[in-house]
Each structure stands twice: as C-alpha cells, then as structure tokens.
Amino acid sequence: MLTVETRHAIDPRTAKGFDTDALRANFHMGDLFRDGEIRLCYTHYDRMIVGGAVPHGSALVLDEVRQCGTASILDRREMAVVNIGDSGTVAAGGESYGLEKGDVLYLPMGAGPVTFDGAGRFYILSAPAHHAYPARLIRIGDAKKVKLGSAETSNERTINQFVHPDVMQSCQLVVGYTQFAPGSVWNTMPAHVHDRRMEAYLYFDLAPDARVFHMMGEPDETRHIVVKNEEAIVSPPWSIHCGAGTGSYTFIWAMAGDNVDYRDVEMVGMEQLR
C-alpha cells in the first residue's frame, strides 16, 4: 500500500503566525512507518521526498508516484535508503542489497522500481537528479566521521557522512546521521541556516517516553516542535534546525538544493537567537 502526502512551501512571514497545530501540520512528519505500507511526503522544498517503508513479512514495491509526473519514481530522481530496523533487503536496477541497521543505500536515476523486503524499517529520501551515478551500499565503516562539540556544552557528537562528496558522488542528495556521546543531547548547536538547501531530520532510537524538542524558525523568531521516536521534520532553507532530547537518540539529516557543499552554511551566534 502506498500513501503520498503533499507539503507546500511556507515562507517565514507566514510561519510567524502559526500556532502549534499549524507548525506540526506544515513541518512535522509523523506516522511514516506503518507495517505493510510505504508512506511518503512529497515536499515543495527542492522537491524532496521523505518517507518510510516497512515490509513486515511481505515485499513492498515502490514504482509510480503520481506527484513525480513520471512512470517510475527514479526516472528523473535519485534516492537514499537508510535502514533503521533489523536486517532487510532492497532491490533495484537488477541488484539486491542486504542492509543491516545503520546501512545506507544510494540508488541512481534510472534504477527502476524499488523493492523492500525483510525485517527492515526503511527511511526513504529522494530528490530530482540530472545524472546516473553508480548505486552504492555504504556501511558505517565506509562513512566519513567528523567529531564535534564537547561534554561541557552537552553536544559531543559524531557526524557520519554517507551520501557526501567526501565519500561518493550524487546529484544533490547529501545524507548522513549523527550519534551522541553519553550525556550529550544537543544537536546542531550552535545553530545555522543555509538558504541554498533545504533539510530534513528523522529522529530515531528514542525510548518510548523520550522526546526531542526540535527548534526551527528564523534566528530571531524561533519556534519548537516536540518529536517522538521515528518522527521527522522538514526544515525550510530560511529556518534554523537544531534540537535537544530528554534522553539518547540518533538523527538522520538529509539535504537537497543548489549544491552538495556541507560547509555552505551561515552560522548563527547565540546572541542572535530569540
């Protein structure tokens, strides 16, 4: 079963007037992972698609998505799939790939229908593409690791870069995930914005009663959204994106836009935040 929701782009002036329900309706993505279903959110932020697939004993095939306007989703798109569950397989382009938890699979434009099987919980990210780069299965040992933050500021973390220029080529997708040292709860702090690229976060590995307070909005007009396990946030290019958890968690970050330069950001000083 395939379900697709469309999210239109929101400008910062409009977002200033949103209450909690409106913020969640436009930027929060919950219920992405349902047993036996593929659930997608087609956003108008650089046409990024964010979604989940949970085979749950029966293979699921992702092929035509009407919102893409093509016969098959990857006719003019690339895709990254992150397994956040148990062992599973993803098949496309005549190849089958076994994904353990934490593995990332890149699929190029033209790879055809995508089949999900096994016990995996597959997080799906897709953006328009202009070239067919080789498919690649990237395991945690192949990722580039960047260590940032400190215990003193509660943001000691390791950024694992998978679909990234230092690891492999892609058209515009940049994907990885961040893991924290014990006791650290702040992600992406100090905050930043990058007007040339949108971003999406998926928070997972949270305890059932844990929450992340995700911060968004213009630096001097911040808002927050409360997120539980396996829920995502779409972040407009004009918005900061950071958060703090009540316990341990991991988050997957993904970007699309004008470039794949991870360093193309505008830092936000603490004195700018309101």
Side-chain angles (χ1 to χ4, degrees):
M1 178 178 176
L2 172 65
T3 302
V4 185
E5 177 190 2
T6 297
R7 295 285 180 92
H8 294 282
I10 302 298
D11 67 274
R13 180 177 297 179
T14 300
K16 286 181 181 182
F18 282 172
D19 62 10
T20 297
D21 287 342
L23 285 172
R24 295 180 71 85
N26 285 279
F27 304 112
H28 173 262
M29 293 176 285
D31 204 22
L32 292 176
F33 300 93
R34 281 195 191 178
D35 290 349
E37 296 186 26
I38 299 173
R39 299 179 66 83
L40 304 178
C41 183
Y42 180 97
T43 83
H44 282 247
Y45 299 104
D46 293 293
R47 304 289 169 168
M48 173 78 88
I49 290 175
V50 177
V54 185
H56 195 60
S58 182
L60 297 172
V61 179
L62 178 57
D63 192 6
E64 183 182 8
V65 175
R66 179 187 59 80
Q67 287 80 352
C68 297
T70 54
S72 188
I73 185 171
L74 292 181
D75 284 354
R76 294 185 59 84
R77 283 179 165 268
E78 59 187 352
M79 178 181 291
V81 179
V82 188
N83 185 12
I84 64 170
D86 294 328
S87 300
T89 61
V90 179
E95 300 288 338
S96 182
Y97 306 88
L99 276 70
E100 302 299 323
K101 183 175 181 179
D103 290 345
V104 179
L105 174 65
Y106 172 81
L107 295 173
M109 179 180 72
V114 185
T115 302
F116 304 92
D117 206 351
R121 298 174 73 80
F122 300 105
Y123 182 49
I124 300 167
L125 298 150
S126 178
H130 61 272
H131 181 82
Y133 290 106
R136 182 173 174 184
L137 175 60
I138 314 161
R139 304 194 189 275
I140 186 65
D142 302 318
K144 180 181 177 181
K145 299 181 182 298
V146 178
K147 295 187 179 296
L148 293 175
S150 67
E152 290 75 17
T153 51
S154 302
N155 66 349
E156 185 179 1
R157 61 203 191 272
T158 300
I159 299 173
N160 301 285
Q161 300 170 338
F162 288 82
V163 183
H164 184 279
D166 290 341
V167 179
M168 58 161 288
Q169 286 185 297
S170 65
C171 292
Q172 63 168 320
L173 272 178
V174 181
V175 180
Y177 54 79
T178 298
Q179 298 170 308
F180 296 86
S184 286
V185 295
W186 274 103
N187 72 68
T188 324
M189 182 60 75
H192 62 254
V193 296
H194 32 72
D195 194 54
R196 289 158 292 281
R197 292 174 296 159
M198 62 77 65
E199 190 158 3
Y201 276 21
L202 175 77
Y203 292 98
F204 71 106
D205 280 346
L206 278 75
D209 60 347
R211 296 293 185 269
V212 172
F213 287 73
H214 179 92
M215 311 300 173
M216 65 160 295
E218 293 178 288
D220 62 351
E221 192 75 35
T222 60
R223 302 288 188 271
H224 75 269
I225 299 175
V226 180
V227 182
K228 62 183 180 180
N229 188 46
E230 295 186 355
E231 293 187 338
I233 298 288
V234 59
S235 181
W238 49 264
S239 175
I240 65 167
H241 34 279
C242 61
T246 61
S248 64
Y249 63 97
T250 303
F251 77 96
I252 299 169
W253 42 265
M255 293 175 280
D258 273 343
N259 60 53
V260 292
D261 185 356
Y262 189 81
R263 299 161 298 180
D264 180 17
V265 302
E266 290 80 47
M267 298 303 297
V268 175
M270 291 297 186
E271 70 280 1
Q272 296 175 261
L273 293 174
R274 292 180 56 188

